[in-house]
Amino acid sequence: MATIPRDFNVAPGTSVSALEVPEVVIDRLPQYVRTLTQLLEEGIEVTNSQQLGAQLQVTPAQIRKDLSYFGRFGKQGRGYRVRHLLTELKQILGLDAEWNVAVIGVGRLGNAILNYPGFNPDGFHLVAAFDNNPDNVGKEVGGIAIQPMNALADTVTSRDITIAIVAVPSAHTQSVVDQLVACGVRAILNYTPINAQVPPGVRVRSIDPVLALQSMTYYLADQGHTANGHQGAD
Amino acid sequence: MATIPRDFNVAPGTSVSALEVPEVVIDRLPQYVRTLTQLLEEGIEVTNSQQLGAQLQVTPAQIRKDLSYFGRFGKQGRGYRVRHLLTELKQILGLDAEWNVAVIGVGRLGNAILNYPGFNPDGFHLVAAFDNNPDNVGKEVGGIAIQPMNALADTVTSRDITIAIVAVPSAHTQSVVDQLVACGVRAILNYTPINAQVPPGVRVRSIDPVLALQSMTYYLADQGHTANGHQGAD
């Protein structure tokens, strides 16, 4: 294992792909981008780890540690230049690019996804939709004509699609993910409650409201739930 | 700051609310529950940190560390008893209870949420829905009659609602969250891209597909995106 010198530092703008940035740090960076964007909209040009920490609900020390993976953005006692930090983080995350995205499964959820206005401003363009129900094929949702699943490979290639959103019934998750991987899709946003298996080099993120709810009930456990009737004040 | 003896251990079933369990650990526990449930369905009665780690995509050491917060579930070299661990984790997370949930905002997304069959089997019962559009009030979605927002306080009390799902337009997020908090709701699942501010004791989790996509593009950055035209193999 290589040893990293104690005073090792990455100059701003240096490619850091060779460094092992923990996935949990990468997962937080989009929230930095969102927060910095909001600060800039409010006319705030300089920020610090206290302010960012308060917004992101992590400690200032964590903020400094996260950003240290990517070089020296701030100067001791002077804070971070919002615009500069935002530009750099967007570049690091690949958000200075545009991404073509396919949606697989156009039930109620797929329908809501295709009509969601939040993807486009952030550079994610929903350019194709697929469904295995012949009744849905050919219909237009959110301005996109639904294609049959057997058109997937051709469209992924012709439209330069690298990202897919999966909103199919659970039983079809793995088979759809396998097809996407075979077509060359490298990032999958999975709306089903199934842990899809993918080969190395393919990323999966899950959107799972039940898991999110379950991580909150821990904190409610003594505040009253309906089963045992000890509801709090009314 | 209190010192914890080095051999400190919590007996299974002991309340651990006084211990500071990191939020990131709590966030992972629902995934443990899901994985253990799947193992049990497959007839697997004993597991270990290697197997759990592979399923959850964390290291076996992390699994052991996470579970150590809640006492000694496994015996060195013998693994974990799946059924026992599952029961204990469900109890810790408050999943042995039933929870009544309200949905705020019944647009396309709220509609998909109200029709999603995945909440009920896990003890989350969508029992009320609210919308500020008079055209929607009174309509039935997923078997639930939509109520006006001014009925919120009464219904939250009468139906023992402690959890709410927010699926309103972004501009209304904070105002709706404030109303929910005022009514006594203690856990909020926020489907909008706005960081809602809440007082201590209220939990918020966000479902945000754009943040999830942005955390994947980092890994795609050299594999081709449409803006600069260097797409990979076709």
Side-chain angles (χ1 to χ4, degrees), chain B residues 196-214:
Chain B
Q197 303 298 312
V198 291
V202 179
R203 296 275 152 182
V204 180
R205 290 283 182 281
S206 287
I207 296 281
D208 194 322
V210 171
L211 289 184
L213 289 174
Q214 289 180 333

Side-chain angles (χ1 to χ4, degrees), chain B residues 21 24-26 28-29 32 56 58 60-71 73 89:
Chain B
V21 183
V24 65
V25 175
I26 301 298
R28 265 195 292 268
L29 292 189
Y32 284 64
L56 292 157
V58 299
Q62 187 68 63
I63 300 277
R64 290 190 295 269
K65 193 178 172 204
D66 284 358
L67 294 179
S68 74
Y69 283 103
F70 305 99
F73 284 117
L89 289 183

